[in-house]
Amino acid sequence: KGAYHGDTFGAMAVGERGVFSIPFDPYLFEVEFIDLPNSDPNYLINFEQIVSKGNVAAFIYEPLIQGASGMRMYPAENLEKILQIAKNQGVICIADEVMTGFGRTGKWFASDHCPTKPDIICLSKGLTGGTMALGVTSCTERIFEAYRSTDLMKTFFHGHSFTANPLACRAALASMELLEKPECQANIQRISQEQSEFATKIAFHPKVRSTRQIGTIIALEIETDHETSYINEARNSLYEYFLAKNVLLRPLGNVIYILPPYVMSSEELKHVQHIIFEYLESL
């Protein structure tokens, strides 16, 4: 529940049924949803009951943090328990790391926080540093083996017009080279520490409903008269407030989050944090 995996019909079908998918709901195929594995103490029992039926094709998930639903986070150890059950039942595990990949959670991939790895991993965004559009789907040998055959009908025929676009691939390689540099890895750890310190600072502010932080990402929910959601009315004033302060943030309803580039200096990050604190004080 709360998932977001994209806007095509299949991706919408495995995502949260709500504001994004309402016009298309009659055309989406049915899937089973489980609660975020930090809100329901019975999440493991529920998951095991679903996969034990023997008719589950795959478990699709955003590891450790759901982006569009408000930067909702959950513990790696809870995900690990789910992955172990899925693997034991022969269920293919698909990690959507489009937002969480390439250092966002403090490790190369959010999946690296768990000993059990996915069978398929979906990558984009940070893959090129946001400079060009490129998506990559990587899989284990077990998955690839299903298409290795002299039988033409077992070919994976699906591709896109710009598959393996040379310029986009070169941009990705350049981005990877920068990401591997010790300075960049040091910046990721520094930003993670500074975000953690800010989370501690504002955790008990009277205008903050809750805070959460992992790696370079921090999110805080603003207290409003309505429940936390993507369409919370707070988003209307938040956009304008930050733009007027020359700070470019994209609130998710009443959820303010900082997803900084790794070249951001301590001074720049502290400035953004200070503007957020100023906003809280003005409420």
Side-chain angles (χ1 to χ4, degrees):
K1 297 176 181 176
Y4 176 76
H5 298 291
D7 297 327
T8 54
F9 279 91
M12 282 191 291
V14 296
E16 176 76 10
R17 306 296 170 89
V19 63
F20 290 107
S21 64
I22 287 174
F24 311 100
D25 278 358
Y27 310 103
L28 305 181
F29 51 83
E30 288 302 314
V31 301
E32 294 272 9
F33 292 96
I34 63 169
D35 288 325
L36 195 73
N38 68 355
S39 57
D40 179 7
N42 297 316
Y43 73 92
L44 270 183
I45 297 173
N46 296 338
F47 183 76
E48 195 155 23
Q49 287 175 342
I50 293 171
V51 298
S52 64
K53 298 173 185 177
N55 61 353
V56 174
F59 167 52
I60 304 173
Y61 60 100
E62 295 159 278
L64 305 193
I65 174 169
Q66 291 184 327
S69 66
M71 295 294 171
R72 301 199 306 164
M73 302 180 188
Y74 60 96
E77 53 266 29
N78 291 8
L79 175 59
E80 174 63 20
K81 293 173 184 176
I82 289 177
L83 293 175
Q84 288 181 7
I85 292 173
K87 296 276 187 173
N88 289 338
Q89 293 289 339
V91 174
I92 293 171
C93 297
I94 304 176
D96 180 346
E97 294 240 23
V98 169
M99 189 273 290
T100 58
F102 302 102
R104 278 289 161 212
T105 63
K107 293 180 181 288
W108 270 91
F109 300 106
S111 295
D112 290 337
H113 290 271
C114 296
T116 303
K117 306 306 178 189
D119 300 290
I120 299 174
I121 187 169
C122 309
L123 307 169
S124 191
K125 287 187 168 49
L127 181 62
T128 63
T131 56
M132 294 195 73
L134 181 66
V136 166
T137 302
S138 183
C139 64
T140 61
E141 181 68 19
R142 173 197 170 202
I143 303 299
F144 185 74
E145 190 62 36
Y147 301 99
R148 183 185 283 124
S149 173
T150 55
D151 182 358
L152 186 64
M153 297 309 294
K154 288 198 173 184
T155 302
F156 186 78
F157 286 108
H158 294 268
H160 300 278
S161 298
F162 292 99
T163 291
N165 178 286
L167 191 56
C169 290
R170 187 64 192 93
L173 289 172
S175 180
M176 292 287 285
E177 289 167 6
L178 289 171
L179 192 62
E180 289 175 333
K181 288 182 178 294
E183 308 94 286
C184 185
Q185 291 299 311
N187 280 349
I188 290 173
Q189 299 309 314
R190 171 182 57 80
I191 291 171
S192 298
Q193 179 61 34
E194 291 168 351
Q195 296 282 56
S196 176
E197 292 169 359
F198 184 56
T200 301
K201 176 182 177 181
I202 61 170
F204 299 103
H205 194 284
K207 296 300 181 180
V208 174
R209 186 172 292 170
S210 68
T211 61
R212 41 194 175 269
Q213 179 264 332
I214 182 171
T216 66
I217 306 170
I218 186 174
L220 56 139
E221 296 181 16
I222 305 301
E223 278 289 2
T224 70
D225 294 331
H226 300 90
E227 66 179 19
T228 295
S229 75
Y230 189 86
I231 56 175
N232 186 292
E233 79 290 342
R235 69 196 299 271
N236 302 325
S237 60
L238 285 170
Y239 277 114
E240 298 302 324
Y241 181 90
F242 292 119
L243 285 175
K245 301 283 186 178
N246 292 321
V247 172
L248 185 61
L249 290 177
R250 181 187 176 237
L252 297 165
N254 62 315
V255 176
I256 301 174
Y257 69 95
I258 311 176
L259 199 72
Y262 304 147
V263 293
M264 196 173 208
S265 68
S266 294
E267 292 72 24
E268 291 167 334
L269 182 55
K270 282 182 170 56
H271 174 68
V272 174
Q273 294 171 344
H274 177 70
I275 296 299
I276 291 175
F277 187 77
E278 276 190 347
Y279 173 77
L280 296 173
E281 291 290 281
S282 72
L283 295 176

